[in-house]
Amino acid sequence: MEQKPARVRLIDAAHELMLTKGLARTTTKEIAKAAGCSEAALYKHFLSKEELFVVVLKERLPKIDLRELIADPGAGERSVEENLTDIARQAALFYEQSFPIAASLYAEPRLKERHDAAMRELGTGPHLPIRGVATYLRAEQTAGRVRPDADTYAAAALLLGACAQRAFAYDATDTGEPPQPLDDFAAALARTLLSGLAG
């Protein structure tokens, strides 16, 4: 069986180690060893551990993909509620899988500073999905499917904030599970949000 390219092995190893150990405690040396590469090979593909983290987020975790919705909010004749449900489902899955990786950043302020600087340099960050959902909702306003006076940024923040909260709010409960299955949660969240947006 042919071995995967070094870049793919490095991303796979980083994803696994970051999931199990967290970003802060995962070293580039460990990632390279787990990938069967040298640390020098890692740095041939990635500038830093932070860049590798961003690549893991982009290539290994569920995506919050809003491009099609922003370009054509009525595409496929889906309702705003259906679109918001899909966004909520994608976002909840993304946060559920990314929080275990990123949580350790907050324990080490210097690493968090380096990480934030790398995110800015790479032109990415956790604010982009909020902007994306707000842009989608503004497109829906233009199409007349969202009230003209609706605060699209606040609505986007509420939607994504609820999805992020779901990712860690239930760890301390007896079951460790949210009270609703993901699909029920996403549909209820979209329906509730839409009651304040449509009219």
Side-chain angles (χ1 to χ4, degrees), residues 14-86:
H15 181 211
E16 182 60 34
L17 285 166
M18 289 174 183
L19 272 176
T20 56
K21 294 181 73 172
L23 177 63
R25 294 187 333 178
T26 299
T27 66
T28 53
K29 187 175 188 173
E30 290 171 313
I31 294 168
K33 183 178 177 185
C37 298
S38 68
E39 208 171 353
L42 183 148
Y43 285 110
K44 280 173 64 176
H45 294 280
F46 306 99
L47 296 174
S48 64
K49 182 170 71 169
E50 289 76 23
E51 182 188 18
L52 184 50
F53 170 66
V54 170
V55 172
V56 166
L57 291 180
K58 285 182 176 177
E59 296 185 17
R60 293 297 183 270
L61 298 183
K63 308 221 178 333
I64 305 174
D65 191 356
L66 305 168
R67 290 172 298 193
E68 188 177 318
L69 288 177
I70 291 167
D72 184 6
E77 299 303 313
R78 288 168 43 110
S79 69
V80 177
E81 185 174 332
E82 289 170 318
N83 288 335
L84 289 175
T85 299
D86 192 43

Side-chain angles (χ1 to χ4, degrees), residues 28-179:
T28 53
K29 187 175 188 173
E30 290 171 313
I31 294 168
K33 183 178 177 185
C37 298
S38 68
E39 208 171 353
L42 183 148
Y43 285 110
K44 280 173 64 176
H45 294 280
F46 306 99
L47 296 174
S48 64
K49 182 170 71 169
E50 289 76 23
E51 182 188 18
L52 184 50
F53 170 66
V54 170
V55 172
V56 166
L57 291 180
K58 285 182 176 177
E59 296 185 17
R60 293 297 183 270
L61 298 183
K63 308 221 178 333
I64 305 174
D65 191 356
L66 305 168
R67 290 172 298 193
E68 188 177 318
L69 288 177
I70 291 167
D72 184 6
E77 299 303 313
R78 288 168 43 110
S79 69
V80 177
E81 185 174 332
E82 289 170 318
N83 288 335
L84 289 175
T85 299
D86 192 43
I87 292 167
R89 186 181 305 106
Q90 290 177 43
L93 285 170
F94 173 80
Y95 292 125
E96 180 182 296
Q97 293 184 31
S98 64
F99 272 0
I101 295 173
S104 61
L105 279 175
Y106 292 89
E108 294 193 26
R110 283 200 310 259
L111 178 60
K112 174 114 176 38
E113 287 171 18
R114 281 197 343 257
H115 169 73
D116 291 347
M119 296 283 265
R120 284 190 296 274
E121 194 172 305
L122 294 166
T124 189
H127 61 290
L128 293 181
I130 298 171
R131 283 187 189 167
V133 174
T135 300
Y136 158 67
L137 290 171
R138 282 193 302 278
E140 291 288 15
Q141 276 180 322
T142 301
R145 301 193 323 165
V146 165
R147 275 192 357 243
D149 64 336
D151 185 331
T152 58
Y153 186 83
L158 286 167
L159 178 75
L160 294 175
C163 294
Q165 179 69 14
R166 184 180 192 272
F168 71 87
Y170 299 100
D171 286 345
T173 63
D174 290 339
T175 65
E177 294 292 323

